[in-house]
Amino acid sequence: MITVFERPKSLTPAKTHYCPGCTHGIIHRLVAEVIDELDVREDTIGIAPVGCSVLAYNYFNLDMQEAAHGRAPAVATGIKRVHPDKVVFTYQGDGDLAAIGTAEIIHAAARGEKITTIFVNNAIYGMTGGQMAPTTLVGQEATTAPSGRNAETQGYPVRMSEILATIQGTAYIARVSVHNPQEVAKAKKAIKKAFQIQLERKGFALVEVLSTCPTNWGLTPLAAMKWLQENMIPYYPLGVQKTPEEVEV
Amino acid sequence: MAKVLMKGNEALGEAAVRAGCRFFFGYPITPQSELPHYLAKRLPEVGGVFLQAESEVAAINMVYGASGAGARVMTSSSSPGISLKMEGISYMAGAELPCVIVNMQRGGPGLGGIQPGQADYFQAVKGGGHGDYRLLVLAPASIQEMVDLMGKAFELADKYRNPVMILGDGILGQMMEPVEFPEMLDPASLPDKPYATTGAREREPRIVNSLFLDPVELEEHNLKLKEKYDHMVAEETRAESYFTEDSEIVLVAYGSSARVAKAAVDQARAQGIKAGLFRPITLFPFPKHQIQEACQNAKQVLTVEMSLGQMVEDVRYNLEFRIPVHFYGRVGGMVPTTRAVFDEIKRLVDGEVD
Amino acid sequence: MLQEIILAGFGGQGVMSMGQLLAYAGMEEDKQVSWIPSYGPEMRGGTANCSVTISDVSVSSPLISEPDTLIVLNRPSLEKFEQDIKPGGLLLINSSLVDRDPLRKDLRILKIPADDLANEKFGNTRVANMILLGAFVAITKAVSLDSVVGALKKVLPEYRHNLIPLNRQALELGAELASGA
């Protein structure tokens, strides 16, 4: 018998707590596959955030640290400075990275910390119950924006990748999506690149992954994929925001 | 090694290096900035890392990461900055990560002032961050003692896998006294930390974490932490007694206030008043047996602080309310004078206060 | 021997380094010493000051509220600290910049026009502080002049060591003036 599909070594056999149709599972898998393919599982330290992926330390078969809300880039900085030869990555959601942890991510990027950040943007707070995120679209409903986000009083969603791409210390910034197999394949390529950048010590690397939250969006998983494509991508355009080549110019 | 004359903040920096600390993460604030200034120059000389973080919040979380990665690591700040670090301190206590935190206290609350204070006693000793946790709190009163306690602080942090705070104040940070340093400890000689995330090479993955969603587990975790704190109470109390054997009045003070109190005791003794000084060196654990012994002949006790009465609560509690405990304090950066403390001793001894 | 000194003046007059020189000199003589600066933006009276204790026994409190000696380099310092000096204590005044007499009658007072002398003799007012320090040492003998000169190497940064002879001359001038006083 030929094995054609198996669990990456960098994932534990634990069953995840993610809701049906949530794309965290896909993104976890992509990160794990990349770590396996680069053969760095035994040299990698991951940092779990606060948010839906708070328990990521149970799912990655790696050394992991759990950070306080938003502080993963600071924790990663501490680890990387102690072990500059190890691979250090943070896995953060939009509330964690783009609201409470804005200072930490901006300054980790500004210092050019040689870490990799996987930024999962699903435009909502999942774990705490569907509250408005810094990335919630204008008009999008949330439990703390029951009539939809009102730009007048609640402002506009933040495009973190664009902001981070303007910072000199960043080497690689890309936005990808996982709403169909083609995009999943592209997402994996970007994640791999973001880890390679770290291995080559080129600077800070981040991949923003547009993700769905069927539960809090109030949609079926399939409808959620469609909603992402039709609503999020126009505001959060996919593609590479910055590559090392650009840095070197 | 010959004695050198050094500012407290700088002496602490050198002491940390000698104790094998190679990582410092901090954010500038008066009156402790000479410590990061010193380490910014000194740590690279010994292959260490000095990093100025974007905030105190980030700094303590860098300490968390570095400690979780197995390093001997420290941070320092002063009152308002320590408040910001409280989140990370609670997480470190929860995740059982060692580190040393220096607080060169200034006047508060809020932005307060930049002159010395001791009004963070409650914050340091009773919590400050959320949850049931304790910091081991050391209170030096001279530059030499700061240096000696720095090495001890790292040892205790590792022994208990718990953050240790050195609670100083603006005076101790700024003043110069002759000091002698211990030999350099090679951090490579320290034992490996079995919890450190170093990459799961040929072993099971390790997780540094303070999250326990199952209440049964979290209660167990809390009880395990409490066991450590009980151990500290049983084994780690330190104090100094000065002329307490025959004292009718015992002063209780820590840090800079203890220096003033000591001078006042000298004055009182010179006038034939049987006064003494009890100086806790550990604030948590509070040296209960030592204070009871020091005060066994005392008719009254006078606590002197640069606060409006914080440690005095522990003094009363630990003396089990058996002796009248009076209080003298100055705040806002005002420092008690020897004369004022002496006058207070005299007033109490002369029975002007019942 | 216990000598508690407060040194005060404008920022930039070298008050802090005077204090450090004394503390170093005391330490080199195996005495117990401490030095405490005022720190931060000075808000009261426009003065920078430091407190130095030199003692044969361990220093109980490094904080000085009633100094044995007050050395003032400017008028606001005199106004701020004069009333604190111990009865019978020593008051050293830089009369170049202090244009009023002290109010206290129970002190030993020495006025030295240190800025003018520094300018006249050395063409450099920056050593006015050393003239006062030399006078202090000669009067109190809290430390020896040699120890202070030796301490210059510790307190002055290496690139300023060329100024040691000048500082020494200023110290000696101060000592001479005090001996004649």
Side-chain angles (χ1 to χ4, degrees), chain B residues 5 50 53 79 85 109 115 172 184 218 271-272 309-310 328 345:
Chain B
L5 190 66
F50 169 89
S79 309
K85 288 187 205 283
Q115 300 302 323
L172 287 166
M184 183 80 84
L218 183 54
Q271 299 202 11
Q310 299 195 17
Y328 179 81
I345 294 172

Side-chain angles (χ1 to χ4, degrees), chain B residues 20 75 114 156 175 190 195 268:
Chain B
T75 186
I114 58 168
L156 290 169
M175 72 188 269
L190 293 166
Y195 54 87

Side-chain angles (χ1 to χ4, degrees), chain B residues 14-339:
Chain B
E14 181 60 27
V17 168
R18 302 229 173 192
C21 174
R22 292 292 177 271
F23 296 90
F24 178 95
F25 304 93
Y27 187 82
I29 187 169
T30 307
Q32 62 80 54
S33 291
E34 293 85 356
L35 175 47
H37 296 174
Y38 186 85
L39 287 176
K41 230 164 74 183
R42 187 74 174 98
L43 278 172
E45 290 173 2
V46 291
V49 172
F50 169 89
L51 198 154
Q52 180 173 327
E54 61 270 28
S55 68
E56 284 90 349
V57 175
I60 191 69
N61 283 285
M62 290 171 187
V63 171
Y64 178 106
S67 177
R72 200 159 251 207
V73 55
M74 73 173 290
T75 186
S76 73
S77 192
S78 178
S79 309
I82 294 291
S83 291
L84 283 167
K85 288 187 205 283
M86 278 298 156
E87 175 199 52
I89 292 172
S90 166
Y91 276 69
M92 290 191 79
E96 298 190 82
L97 293 177
C99 74
V100 172
I101 304 145
V102 172
N103 180 4
M104 286 299 172
Q105 298 172 86
R106 55 189 245 187
L111 202 45
I114 58 168
Q115 300 302 323
Q118 292 182 319
D120 302 348
Y121 179 91
F122 285 153
Q123 184 192 52
V125 170
K126 307 293 178 189
H130 60 283
D132 249 324
Y133 78 92
R134 296 289 191 168
L135 295 181
L136 219 149
V137 183
L138 304 173
S142 70
I143 310 301
Q144 185 65 57
E145 195 176 36
M146 288 211 284
V147 166
D148 298 342
L149 287 181
M150 183 54 105
K152 193 73 199 166
F154 279 110
E155 255 176 56
L156 290 169
D158 280 350
K159 178 176 173 187
Y160 290 99
R161 282 185 60 181
N162 202 67
V164 173
M165 180 175 279
I166 293 185
L167 191 65
D169 60 62
I171 295 167
L172 287 166
Q174 297 294 323
M175 72 188 269
M176 288 176 109
E177 283 181 326
V179 63
E180 213 168 332
F181 288 100
E183 290 299 310
M184 183 80 84
L185 185 148
D186 180 2
S189 69
L190 293 166
D192 277 347
K193 294 175 171 168
Y195 54 87
T197 58
T198 54
R201 184 160 292 278
E202 285 162 22
R203 61 162 169 75
E204 286 302 301
R206 292 168 178 169
I207 298 170
V208 170
N209 179 33
S210 65
L211 179 68
F212 299 85
L213 288 172
D214 177 355
V216 174
E217 269 183 51
L218 183 54
E219 186 181 51
E220 271 170 21
H221 179 63
N222 268 279
L223 292 172
K224 179 182 152 209
L225 295 181
K226 175 158 191 307
E227 225 170 277
K228 292 201 307 193
Y229 308 141
D230 289 346
H231 257 267
M232 293 177 195
V233 169
E235 288 172 23
E236 306 300 346
T237 55
R238 288 161 170 256
E240 184 190 62
S241 293
Y242 183 67
F243 284 127
T244 51
E245 300 81 12
D246 65 341
S247 283
E248 288 171 22
I249 179 163
V250 172
L251 276 67
V252 183
Y254 73 95
S256 292
S257 293
R259 300 292 294 269
V260 177
K262 194 174 185 186
V265 165
D266 289 344
Q267 270 191 20
R269 285 269 159 184
Q271 299 202 11
I273 300 172
K274 286 185 174 170
L277 170 67
F278 178 77
R279 181 172 72 85
I281 297 171
T282 51
L283 299 179
F284 181 86
F286 196 88
K288 180 176 183 167
H289 299 298
Q290 291 97 320
I291 197 174
Q292 289 190 350
E293 195 186 318
C295 296
Q296 59 189 343
N297 296 317
K299 296 197 181 72
Q300 46 191 344
V301 168
L302 171 63
T303 301
V304 181
E305 297 176 54
M306 287 187 276
S307 83
L308 289 178
Q310 299 195 17
M311 182 178 72
V312 65
E313 293 188 3
D314 280 344
V315 172
R316 291 193 178 114
Y317 176 76
N318 284 283
L319 288 171
E320 296 169 337
F321 305 93
R322 287 191 288 218
I323 310 168
V325 176
H326 307 279
F327 176 75
Y328 179 81
R330 294 297 301 271
V331 286
M334 298 302 290
V335 176
T337 62
T338 305
R339 167 60 63 93

Side-chain angles (χ1 to χ4, degrees), chain A residues 19-35:
Chain A
C19 304
C22 169
T23 41
H24 266 307
I26 298 172
I27 303 163
H28 278 26
R29 183 177 174 97
L30 295 182
V31 172
E33 283 178 357
V34 163
I35 292 172

Side-chain angles (χ1 to χ4, degrees), chain C residues 136-179:
Chain C
F136 166 80
V137 168
I139 294 169
T140 63
K141 302 189 170 49
V143 292
S144 77
L145 202 63
D146 283 348
S147 303
V148 178
V149 172
L152 282 166
K153 281 195 208 103
K154 300 274 176 78
V155 173
L156 289 175
E158 197 114 3
Y159 69 94
R160 286 262 171 87
H161 280 192
N162 60 324
L163 296 176
I164 290 177
L166 173 65
N167 279 280
R168 174 206 285 267
Q169 286 169 26
L171 283 163
E172 284 166 354
L173 173 66
E176 212 175 290
L177 289 169
S179 313

